[in-house]
Amino acid sequence: MHRRREILRLPLTLYGMALLLVTGLVVGVTALPEASADADADADAKADSHHSIRNQVYAGYQGWFSAAGDGSPINDWRHWAGSQPSPGNQTFEMWPEMTAYPESAHFPTGYAPLGNGDPATLFSSFPTEVVDQHFAWMEEYGIDGAALQRFGQDMVVPLRKQQRDAITGRARDAAEAHDRGFYLEYDISGLTDDNVEETLKNDWTDTINGTLNLPDSPSYAHEDGKPVVAIFGFGFSNRPGTAETALRVVEWFKEQGTYVIGAVPSGWRTEANSKPGFTPVYQAFDMISPWFVGSRGDLTPTLTADRDDLAGRGQDYLPVIYPGFSWANWNGGERNQIPRDSGDFMWQQAVNLRELGIPQAFIAMFDEYDEATNIAPAASDSSMIPTDQYFQTTSSDGEFVSSDFYLRLAARASRMITGEEPLVQEVPIPLSEGPVFLRTGVEQEVDAQPTWTNTPGPGGTANVTGPGGGGGPALGVATGADHLGGASALRIQGTTPTTAHSYAYMQAFDVDIPVTAETGLSYGFLPKNEGGRHVSVDFVLTDGTTLRASAATTTDGIDMHPAAPKGTVGSWTTIESEFGPALAGKTIDTILIGYDRNQATGGFDAFIDDIEITNG
């Protein structure tokens, strides 16, 4: 009974994120076939444009995190925080998934350990191994390439320039090693009206084509035989450069034989949220990439008008799509401000592009944990973030979403946008491919939450009332002292008024979890009375079978049926079951919390926490 989520198109609402210090952009307007039969032709066309921009989807790559002790020119904390990150001292929203990085790339913070007991460490973007891991993920999941960000201060402050040059060189090497495309994207933030023109020209000549010699890399993106360069910021009210200066810069880059992308305000076409007089600048770019981060709703009218306007002048179009946004840890305000909706939000953006025949996009961003726009792996739940500080997780929308989900989603969306795969209206990939299929401490704002509360499920109820003797049995999230490692746990309560067979099978989570011989279950269990010992996690499979009837046992040999008492009254214990062999080949559809007892009266009260279903 697992339900597919409907994706709603909301009224257009643009948010003026005036201080967003990020970038991104690229596209050529070409009608896309809607039939999957044309996928081979589209794939051939894409192969011919390898490491180009049209018919590709690149992600912005910040590469801007540093840490004290990382051996970099800065050799201090930057972007995670201005000093060692600690509770209340951070400028980032999502906690990265750290297990793939070598131990040498883990830098200690001032936070308490993670929920799973591991030290709270963060990476630096400076080590070669970190950059290589990022591009290895791009290769593994099928991300076409990266737009390497280069900020104004990275060109005028000597230590920052050394840092940025080193990371850029490592990104070039990693792109070549993993056959990913890349190109340079300037962000003019930090420059001034007086130095923006000279700085960009000198950097492109002396460093990009001189010291680093980036355009000669076999992985450097070219379009129409020209190396690609993007410039973010011209026309934004809080970025430097007059219209006259900006036009000179764009024309100069084109004279150098480059293909120039303009990362511009979302209202560029009508100068709605632009400095006045910039229309000639926008029309001079080879490709326009409007900055749509902050837009919550359906951009179809804007995308359509942009596409048609650019096509009339022979310019290409590169819309920006993004997974979600929040910066509560940095600037306060609402947590999970623009929710990811478990992938639905970004998928709908991709659907819009495919329906409009716009065959390329820019993903903002690969690694921007600062504003929760990253697609790179992030903590999936409360076990993977510090216990003394809030951070958004991939499961913050209330469903368990794996750490790598947004890489998988971005790759699938990319193939749909470029025409390699057919248009699909709903997210076509599972929220997790394992080895963890569900892990939740039911902590608010960071963990998967019950789909139902106080709702009987398959199996129903008999001879039970509510905990006070009236109504029905209760199941929900409880907060307080009776929890395991966090502030919340599931609690089931009720009363058995007679000695007849009594039971209550309460629905908790709507899931879609395939079972193999290696699948196992674990959870923390606290029975508050003897009746509570007759409580257990139960499953309903898509074929109607149940865990309780499978003869599966705990690792201690106790039947998983709730009727078999478990645990010790008043103490937390861990219940584990290697139930896979009993249910292999089936699919878990619903997770229940069940109570079952015979020939006894009285109350039943139990807490369940830290539910985890894994393969292996």
Side-chain angles (χ1 to χ4, degrees):
M1 62 177 289
H2 186 69
R3 303 179 300 278
R4 297 302 304 173
R5 301 178 300 278
E6 290 187 12
I7 303 174
L8 302 179
R9 293 191 175 183
L10 304 175
L12 176 63
T13 306
L14 293 179
Y15 274 61
M17 300 289 186
L19 296 178
L20 288 178
L21 300 178
V22 254
T23 59
L25 317 55
V26 333
V27 315
V29 180
T30 306
L32 282 174
E34 293 303 319
S36 60
D38 292 328
D40 290 342
D42 292 327
D44 290 342
K46 185 171 182 179
D48 292 338
S49 61
H50 191 51
H51 300 331
S52 62
I53 297 301
R54 297 188 188 109
N55 294 92
Q56 305 259 312
V57 178
Y58 282 51
Y61 186 72
Q62 306 287 41
W64 59 13
F65 296 104
S66 62
D70 65 5
S72 69
I74 294 176
N75 199 35
D76 203 353
W77 290 98
R78 187 163 173 266
H79 272 281
W80 301 120
S83 56
Q84 186 185 47
S86 58
N89 177 39
Q90 59 273 318
T91 56
F92 68 106
E93 195 76 0
M94 293 195 85
W95 189 271
E97 214 282 46
M98 291 292 297
T99 58
Y101 300 112
E103 190 63 31
S104 61
H106 288 240
F107 297 93
T109 69
Y111 299 109
L114 309 183
N116 61 18
D118 289 347
T121 59
L122 293 167
F123 70 82
S124 163
S125 301
F126 185 75
T128 300
E129 298 85 355
V130 170
V131 178
D132 188 76
Q133 178 62 67
H134 291 163
F135 280 82
W137 276 325
M138 294 180 205
E139 179 184 22
E140 177 183 357
Y141 291 92
I143 308 298
D144 289 325
L148 306 185
Q149 310 299 291
R150 193 168 180 86
F151 300 89
Q153 293 294 298
D154 294 338
M155 295 176 277
V156 298
V157 177
L159 282 181
R160 288 186 58 169
K161 185 176 187 303
Q162 291 177 37
Q163 183 106 350
R164 178 58 56 174
D165 287 355
I167 292 171
T168 300
R170 289 165 186 174
R172 172 201 58 213
D173 296 344
E176 293 174 2
H178 297 285
D179 195 25
R180 299 298 93 189
F182 76 96
Y183 64 91
L184 190 78
E185 179 164 25
Y186 285 112
D187 185 326
I188 61 176
S189 304
L191 298 177
T192 67
D193 288 350
D194 294 332
N195 71 3
V196 62
E197 180 176 2
E198 178 184 11
T199 300
L200 292 180
K201 289 179 178 180
N202 288 344
D203 189 73
W204 181 256
T205 301
D206 298 339
T207 302
I208 303 307
N209 282 277
T211 308
L212 295 175
N213 198 21
L214 290 187
D216 284 345
S217 167
S219 286
Y220 199 89
H222 284 65
E223 198 59 64
D224 299 331
K226 303 172 183 178
V228 173
V229 63
I231 304 172
F232 176 91
F234 282 142
F236 285 88
S237 61
N238 61 337
R239 299 298 194 277
T242 63
E244 293 75 17
T245 298
L247 187 58
R248 285 197 305 271
V249 170
V250 175
E251 290 177 341
W252 181 87
F253 271 98
K254 295 176 77 170
E255 289 168 0
Q256 308 312 302
T258 65
Y259 177 94
V260 189
I261 301 170
V264 299
S266 59
W268 67 275
R269 181 173 29 83
T270 61
E271 294 192 350
N273 58 347
S274 161
K275 291 180 183 178
F278 268 74
T279 293
V281 179
Y282 303 144
Q283 294 180 352
F285 286 110
D286 294 299
M287 176 179 275
I288 287 290
S289 183
W291 185 245
F292 289 134
V293 173
S295 303
R296 286 182 185 263
D298 180 17
L299 286 172
T300 301
T302 298
L303 292 165
T304 303
D306 283 357
R307 177 199 64 186
D308 295 346
D309 181 79
L310 291 166
R313 285 191 303 277
Q315 290 176 280
D316 295 327
Y317 191 29
L318 183 64
V320 172
I321 64 175
Y322 70 109
F325 171 88
S326 188
W327 58 11
N329 277 346
W330 180 11
N331 290 291
E334 182 183 0
R335 293 177 178 177
N336 200 11
Q337 182 177 346
I338 301 180
R340 296 178 172 221
D341 291 336
S342 301
D344 287 349
F345 181 67
M346 190 166 81
W347 187 258
Q348 182 59 62
Q349 296 168 64
V351 167
N352 290 348
L353 297 190
R354 176 61 187 265
E355 290 181 332
L356 292 172
I358 301 169
Q360 58 270 329
F362 177 96
I363 297 175
M365 306 290 270
F366 183 83
D367 58 338
E368 187 159 351
Y369 296 94
D370 315 52
E371 297 168 358
T373 59
N374 56 286
I375 61 170
S380 62
D381 57 272
S382 60
S383 75
M384 298 178 68
I385 61 175
T387 57
D388 58 352
Q389 173 64 47
Y390 163 81
F391 287 99
Q392 186 173 319
T393 70
T394 56
S395 300
S396 286
D397 297 315
E399 296 179 277
F400 180 78
V401 175
S402 69
S403 293
D404 71 342
F405 173 77
Y406 287 94
L407 281 176
R408 292 188 286 117
L409 184 75
R412 189 68 176 265
S414 297
R415 294 194 294 271
M416 181 176 68
I417 290 168
T418 60
E420 294 176 88
E421 295 192 7
L423 172 66
V424 179
Q425 292 290 337
E426 296 178 341
V427 174
I429 62 173
L431 297 178
S432 177
E433 292 184 337
V436 179
F437 286 96
L438 175 70
R439 184 168 56 211
T440 179
V442 295
E443 300 298 323
Q444 297 294 323
E445 300 182 305
V446 297
D447 275 334
Q449 298 296 305
T451 311
W452 303 275
T453 57
N454 303 329
T455 304
T461 67
N463 298 315
V464 293
T465 66
L475 173 70
V477 176
T479 59
D482 290 315
H483 52 74
L484 182 62
S488 304
L490 288 176
R491 186 179 192 181
I492 186 170
Q493 293 176 282
T495 301
T496 301
T498 73
T499 58
H501 183 200
S502 58
Y503 54 86
Y505 289 93
M506 310 296 287
Q507 295 185 111
F509 298 95
D510 181 13
V511 297
D512 186 12
I513 300 176
V515 180
T516 72
E518 288 75 40
T519 307
L521 164 72
S522 71
Y523 59 91
F525 184 50
L526 172 62
K528 297 292 287 184
N529 53 26
E530 187 59 30
R533 296 185 65 223
H534 292 261
V535 166
S536 186
V537 172
D538 191 20
F539 305 145
V540 178
L541 291 301
T542 53
D543 65 355
T545 57
T546 61
L547 176 63
R548 65 181 180 270
S550 69
T553 67
T554 71
T555 52
D556 295 327
I558 302 171
D559 197 301
M560 282 301 295
H561 199 293
K566 302 172 186 67
T568 302
V569 173
S571 298
W572 281 101
T573 56
T574 299
I575 305 297
E576 296 180 314
S577 174
E578 297 173 356
F579 68 89
L583 296 173
K586 300 178 184 290
T587 300
I588 304 171
D589 185 69
T590 306
I591 297 176
L592 308 174
I593 306 298
Y595 160 78
D596 201 311
R597 197 179 187 194
N598 205 355
Q599 297 183 339
T601 61
F604 59 92
D605 187 358
F607 289 82
I608 288 176
D609 205 356
D610 293 351
I611 301 172
E612 185 169 353
I613 299 175
T614 64
N615 276 349

